[in-house]
Amino acid sequence: MNQLEQYFPSGLSISRAKKDAKKLKKAKAIPLNQALDEIAQSEMNLTWEQALKALSSNDYGQNEPLNEEMLTLPEAVLSAEQTSSETMSEESCEHSDEQDEYEDEDEEKGEVNFTNTIYNSQLIEFEEMVDKNNGQADTFIYPANEVFIQGNGNGTKLWPSPLAATESNADLFCDMLNKFSLRIFEYDLIDTIYEDEIGETSYEMWYESNCPIYESSDCEREITADPDYIHVKSQRSLYFVINMVRSTLISWELEM
């Protein structure tokens, strides 16, 4: 028995309820939190958040310990054997349920449809383009949104700002970086309540987020720093972003 799993009084597991909520969301075209609340209401007449708190407080589903004196009675021995048999049957069912859940997870893993398809071959081609761009940059582009995520949380510069490019490849560089920005944003939605939004409304969510968005025609600024230094920093950031995106392909076993 999985000691970390929680169950509603009816025996419905939390993980199974989440899967049911996703199906209900699609069937009724309602937000996921509303679907979760509907399931919690039907199970415990509470909201989803209230139900989780109640289950965590051990107010539900707890069995009283057996009285040791009763176990010395012949009737208790038979009862204990019956209980053991029922427990084994219950654990067998739970094992079957866990297998079903693993199968569902595998199915769901393959159902994630990112807004853009990115192949490793595209990353290799883009790397080659960045290499050829070495020393050729004559255009410097900043992300169009002034407030954006600049690092990866570890003090490492992630997104090039400015982006060093040439006039001929500036639009392509911006387009690729926007795809990378969106992919990393969508990848972070996996295993959250917003996972079902991937490929549906995630583009709008990304566009309204503080992820970088590059628009070559709108965000050029005057460069005051050493252009060669900016170009080197931009290239380093490009390589870092490419590796970040490649790691999402490997982790999710898609598009490679």
Side-chain angles (χ1 to χ4, degrees), residues 12-255:
L12 177 67
S13 68
I14 295 298
S15 59
R16 176 63 65 179
K18 289 180 179 179
K19 299 180 191 302
D20 291 344
K22 289 182 179 180
K23 294 178 182 178
L24 184 62
K25 169 188 176 295
K26 292 181 179 179
K28 289 190 173 184
I30 58 177
L32 183 59
N33 61 335
Q34 183 178 337
L36 289 168
D37 283 342
E38 287 192 18
I39 289 179
Q41 286 283 348
S42 64
E43 291 288 331
M44 297 173 60
N45 199 28
L46 298 171
T47 66
W48 179 260
E49 183 177 355
Q50 291 170 339
L52 291 185
K53 288 181 180 179
L55 294 173
S56 298
S57 68
N58 295 324
D59 291 336
Y60 293 86
Q62 298 298 317
N63 296 321
E64 292 294 330
L66 293 175
N67 187 320
E68 293 183 0
E69 294 181 357
M70 289 184 62
L71 293 178
T72 61
L73 299 177
E75 295 84 354
V77 174
L78 178 59
S79 176
E81 291 178 352
Q82 292 174 339
T83 302
S84 176
S85 176
E86 292 172 356
T87 301
M88 291 178 62
S89 177
E90 180 182 347
E91 290 179 347
S92 176
C93 291
E94 289 174 355
H95 181 68
S96 177
D97 287 343
E98 289 176 359
Q99 285 183 329
D100 291 342
E101 289 172 8
Y102 292 143
E103 291 174 359
D104 289 344
E105 288 172 0
D106 289 340
E107 291 176 0
E108 290 176 0
K109 187 173 183 179
E111 291 176 358
V112 175
N113 295 314
F114 297 103
T115 299
N116 297 307
T117 301
I118 301 175
Y119 295 99
N120 189 48
S121 58
Q122 292 176 301
L123 299 183
I124 294 174
E125 290 178 3
F126 188 63
E127 282 178 317
E128 293 174 351
M129 184 176 296
V130 173
D131 290 337
K132 292 179 181 178
N133 192 59
N134 185 23
Q136 303 297 319
D138 54 18
T139 299
F140 299 94
I141 302 164
Y142 289 84
N145 44 340
E146 295 183 359
V147 180
F148 66 97
I149 298 174
Q150 297 190 36
N152 67 345
N154 298 317
T156 303
K157 183 75 173 180
L158 176 57
W159 301 101
S161 178
L163 165 65
T166 65
E167 290 185 4
S168 61
N169 63 22
D171 288 336
L172 177 60
F173 271 35
C174 288
D175 180 61
M176 290 299 294
L177 279 176
N178 285 337
K179 288 182 178 179
F180 294 164
S181 176
L182 176 58
R183 164 54 59 91
I184 293 174
F185 175 80
E186 291 181 331
Y187 186 78
D188 288 338
L189 297 182
I190 296 173
D191 293 331
T192 73
I193 62 173
Y194 299 106
E195 180 175 322
D196 284 349
E197 304 303 322
I198 297 175
E200 295 184 11
T201 63
S202 52
Y203 181 88
E204 288 78 9
M205 293 167 61
W206 165 75
Y207 199 81
E208 296 297 328
S209 73
N210 60 343
C211 293
I213 299 173
Y214 294 84
E215 298 175 0
S216 63
S217 61
D218 298 328
C219 49
E220 294 188 26
R221 304 177 190 174
E222 182 179 355
I223 297 297
T224 57
D226 180 7
D228 291 334
Y229 173 70
I230 293 176
H231 182 232
V232 171
K233 284 184 61 179
S234 178
Q235 276 204 305
R236 289 177 181 173
S237 296
L238 286 170
Y239 290 131
F240 190 86
V241 171
I242 290 170
N243 288 332
M244 285 283 291
V245 175
R246 181 174 282 118
S247 70
T248 70
L249 304 186
I250 295 172
S251 298
W252 203 240
E253 299 176 357
L254 291 175
E255 305 156 306

